[in-house]
């Protein structure tokens, strides 16, 4: 069962595609975070999802949000994936799937799921969207919530 809206997002630190540690807690108080878990680099659905986030990235950043992708692929795999598709956002390597487990981002408890969490500036999960097949829904739903949060900020 994935974490639901209203729950504090568990903090974690994972390496990005350059091998640098990224801590979720560093964004608290500064940015809304769109944290999306996906199954595997370079698969058709995951490539489509990453490219959709890439194509909407400016809309997310304009609304004060940062996009972060997470899978159990290696740092090297993420580096190649990000380079091949010109991904402007961070991809984190969760090799032992510990963060995926914390967030309950699996299907049937075992298959790596495709789940997006929108985490507000206070570190609280405001929205979750889970679908293996509705790729566009992840981007559309997340952007809608991010824009609502930005409007609330002003």
């Amino acid at each position: 069962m994935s974490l639901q809206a209203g729950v504090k997002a568990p903090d974690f630190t994972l390496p990005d595609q350059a091998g640098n540690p990224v801590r979720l807690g560093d964004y608290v108080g500064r940015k809304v975070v769109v944290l999306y878990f996906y199954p595997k680099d370079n698969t058709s659905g995951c490539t489509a999802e990453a490219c959709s986030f890439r194509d909407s990235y400016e809309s997310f950043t304009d609304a004060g949000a940062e996009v972060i992708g997470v899978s159990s692929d290696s740092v090297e795999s993420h580096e190649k994936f990000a380079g091949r598709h010109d991904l402007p956002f961070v991809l984190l390597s969760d090799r032992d799937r510990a963060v995926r487990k914390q967030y309950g981002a699996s299907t049937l408890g075992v298959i790596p799921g495709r789940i997006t969490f929108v985490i507000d500036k206070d570190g609280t999960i405001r929205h979750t969207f889970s679908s293996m097949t509705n790729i566009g829904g992840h981007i559309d739903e997340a952007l809608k919530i991010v824009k609502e949060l930005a409007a609330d900020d002003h």
Side-chain angles (χ1 to χ4, degrees), residues 1 29 31 45 63-64 69 78-79 82 87 93 100 102 107 119:
M1 184 71 174
K31 287 187 179 264
H78 282 340
E79 183 180 34
L87 304 181
S93 176
R100 183 178 286 282
Q102 271 185 304
T107 305
I119 302 165

Side-chain angles (χ1 to χ4, degrees), residues 42-63:
N42 297 308
T43 57
S44 60
C46 297
T47 299
E49 182 177 31
C51 291
S52 292
F53 271 117
R54 175 198 66 205
D55 296 345
S56 299
Y57 185 68
E58 197 173 313
S59 298
F60 282 104
T61 57
D62 286 353

